[in-house]
Each structure stands twice: as C-alpha cells, then as structure tokens.
Amino acid sequence: MTDEPGGRPPVPVVGMVGAGQLARMTCQAAIGLGVGFRVLAGSAADSAAQVCADVQVGDYTSRDDVLAFAAGCDVVTFDHEHVPGPHLAALEKVVAVRPGADALRYTQDKLAMRERLAGLGVSCPRYAPVSSLAEVTAFAAESGWPVVLKAISGGYDGRGVWVCETPDEAAEVLAHPVAVFAEQHIEFDRELAVLAARSPHGQAAVYPVVQTVQRDGICHEVLAPAPGLEPRRAREAQRLVLALAAELDVTGLLAVELFDTGRLLVNELAMRPHNSGHWTIEGAVTSQFEQHLRAVLDLPLGAPRAVAPQVVMANVFGGPDPGVYSRYLHVMAADPDVKIHLYGKQVRPGRKIGHVTVAGDPALGDQLRERAGRAARYLATGED
C-alpha cells in the first residue's frame, strides 16, 4: 500500500487477472468498499476495461505480463481459471495470490478435481480417465450410454463437454487433440448451486442454495433460494461447500454446482464470482462481488443472507439486433422493479451480454420467472 496523490490514505490494491463481466461487477464492488482495483485485460475493449480506472493490457498466458501486472497489487485474484500453473507459482513468490495455485489446480484440471473429491469421500458422478475408444466403451459397459466426455482443462459454460450417445460419437470427440475423461450421464431432478466465501484466516460464510436452469450446458435462470428445497437438504449442501472450501484451502469465493438426484452429487467447482451468484447484487445483504473482495483482503465477511424471500435472475443473450439500449425504455416502463445489468459486450447471437433480476413473494414464483424472462427476451430481441 502506498500513499496516493492528494494525501488520501493508503488502501490495498486488488488485481484481478481477466477483464470479463465478473471483473466488471467486482470493480463496482471495489468502488463501494473504497479499495484499489486493477485488471489485466486482453484488450481495452474488454468488459471490465471499459469501466475500471486502472487497466493493464496484457496476456495472461505471458509470465512477464502477469508478473508486471502483479507488481502494482497487494493481492492478485482471478475472473477465470486459465492462468498457467507455472505462472501462478511464480506469482506466489512476489504477491499474495488468492485463491492460491494449490487450490486453483482443482478448477484447472477437472480430472484432478474428481480424484481429489473422491479421495475426500464426496459423492460425484462415476468417472474414469480415458484415452481410447476401447476405454470409453469399457466405461459404458458398466455405466451405460450415453457417456459424458469432458475436457480435462479449458472447458466452461458448456464448452468442453460432449454427451455421446454412441461409440461413433465418442470416436468423433476422441479424434480431436483434447485430453478428456469419461463421466457417467446423470439423470437428475434439478441442478443446484451453492456459493461460499472463505478468508485466509478461515472465516467462512455461505449463501442460500439456489436452483440453476440450464439449457445446452449454459445457465439461463437462477432461482434463489431453490424453490421447495427441504431445509435439511439445503443445510446438507451448505455444509458440504463449507467443508470443501476448508479442505481445498480456498481463499475467496467457492462455487459448487450440484446435481439433485434424491442425493447430492458434485458436478463442477469454480473459485471466483459465479453466474449463479449474480442475484446477490440486489438480493443479498452482501453481494458475491463484495464478499470476494472482503475474503481475498482478509476483511471480516459480510452477511450472506437474502433480503427478499424470492429472487429470480435471468441471463440476457445477444439476439439479431445489437441495439439493446434502445429497448431499455420499454423494459423499465413495463416493469419498474426489474434490475438490468449489461456487460458492455459486443452483441452476438447467443452470447451472454447481461442479466436481469426480479425479487418478490415466493408465492408468485412463476410470475417472477415470467417477468424476468420477458425482460431478458425483450432486451435480446425486442419481442415480448
């Protein structure tokens, strides 16, 4: 921490590698907390680079760029999982890295994550490392078709996941130069997610369990809290995530995606702000973005409880017309309670460009979902 121009008191500077929408919304939280915040952006056009006062343009795959960025930070954190492991190790020698390289390994290497969770006795889908069609078919002989093939590294938002109905489809995936593992295809009742935050000295806080609605592997809606979830099951999920945060030595946020099959199976982990937590901006005492900053700075964590009985978040995807702002008038006039967040991204069909949030009475759950869905659709396409 150094003195700032004008004699202002020194404050810590958090650096976030990556400048997507997660960094953009974290920047807004940093302004409220009054801490320094800078981003390592791929370009000045990146979502967070458009709004952040301190931007370094560089390549997160370049060790020199990452180390140069860290020189101006007290703490380094991330809005994605893709910084190479050796760079993380080099970073840890010069700055506080939160979460650290040992924890991040389990988000960068999905097979290592499965093996670690299995070693902890955590329920997950059945899996096996595979490198040939014979190994996939042997796995299917025990688990059945379809078989899910997952990229060991680099996948997100449905990318790097292939549901293979037949050996021929599996052979097509294996023909690509991507290391994968096989996983049992799970028939689930619904998908859940839980966010927890943990600080370096071990304080932890957990948010209500939410339901995520996925289409083609991409989150479209988040219902907070998960409707109709038994309190016993909700506590089970929260305890699981708190235990994982401690076991994996996470600092910052941990998001855990779960399959609800009558029992809980862990699907994915993320150690950063997460799409399933966007509802917290309006819907919780402490947003996930503020909480992440508090955690990585080792500040006391904020209250994670919801401030409304039911919150619905709907993602906005790009449509054929890029003029999203021109449709604000209709959306805001039609439903003044809707909160709109756009990410400053170039609009492309199917690209996630923002989200909307609606809060209200859980007895009106379907109406809340319709209101959020209608606003998201109109922003995307201009169609009601």
Side-chain angles (χ1 to χ4, degrees), residues 150-183:
K150 286 188 174 182
I152 291 175
S153 63
Y156 66 98
D157 267 357
R159 299 173 178 87
V161 179
W162 300 270
V163 179
C164 302
E165 300 282 350
T166 66
D168 286 345
E169 291 182 8
E172 289 181 19
V173 175
L174 294 170
H176 297 289
V178 177
V180 300
F181 66 99
E183 191 171 270

Side-chain angles (χ1 to χ4, degrees), residues 346-357:
Q346 183 178 1
V347 177
R348 296 197 299 266
R351 187 185 200 189
K352 193 184 299 179
I353 59 170
H355 72 269
V356 298
T357 307

Side-chain angles (χ1 to χ4, degrees), residues 67-229:
L67 290 175
F69 173 72
C73 306
D74 295 284
V75 178
V76 170
T77 190
F78 311 91
D79 90 336
H80 60 71
E81 294 88 10
H82 308 311
V83 178
H87 298 1
L88 295 173
L91 271 176
E92 288 185 319
K93 295 178 180 178
V94 298
V95 70
V97 179
R98 295 172 181 161
D102 288 345
L104 283 168
R105 175 171 177 252
Y106 300 113
T107 63
Q108 295 182 324
D109 184 327
K110 294 179 188 290
L111 181 56
M113 179 264 288
R114 281 285 181 258
E115 291 170 343
R116 181 78 168 99
L117 295 181
L120 293 171
V122 175
S123 296
C124 299
R126 186 174 179 273
Y127 73 95
V130 294
S131 58
S132 68
L133 183 57
E135 290 174 333
V136 174
T137 54
F139 179 82
E142 294 189 25
S143 297
W145 295 95
V147 168
V148 179
L149 295 181
K150 286 188 174 182
I152 291 175
S153 63
Y156 66 98
D157 267 357
R159 299 173 178 87
V161 179
W162 300 270
V163 179
C164 302
E165 300 282 350
T166 66
D168 286 345
E169 291 182 8
E172 289 181 19
V173 175
L174 294 170
H176 297 289
V178 177
V180 300
F181 66 99
E183 191 171 270
Q184 179 184 12
H185 186 263
I186 300 296
E187 296 292 340
F188 51 82
D189 298 325
R190 57 178 168 174
E191 293 183 77
L192 304 174
V194 190
L195 275 173
R198 183 173 176 273
S199 66
H201 74 269
Q203 185 190 8
V206 63
Y207 286 91
V209 182
V210 303
Q211 178 179 344
T212 63
V213 180
Q214 313 276 336
R215 297 176 203 142
D216 299 322
I218 299 174
C219 180
H220 280 247
E221 294 176 276
V222 174
L223 314 178
L229 185 64

Side-chain angles (χ1 to χ4, degrees), residues 19-20 24 39 41 43-53 55 57:
R24 183 185 181 104
V39 295
S43 81
D46 286 355
S47 179
Q50 298 172 29
V51 299
C52 185
V55 178
V57 175

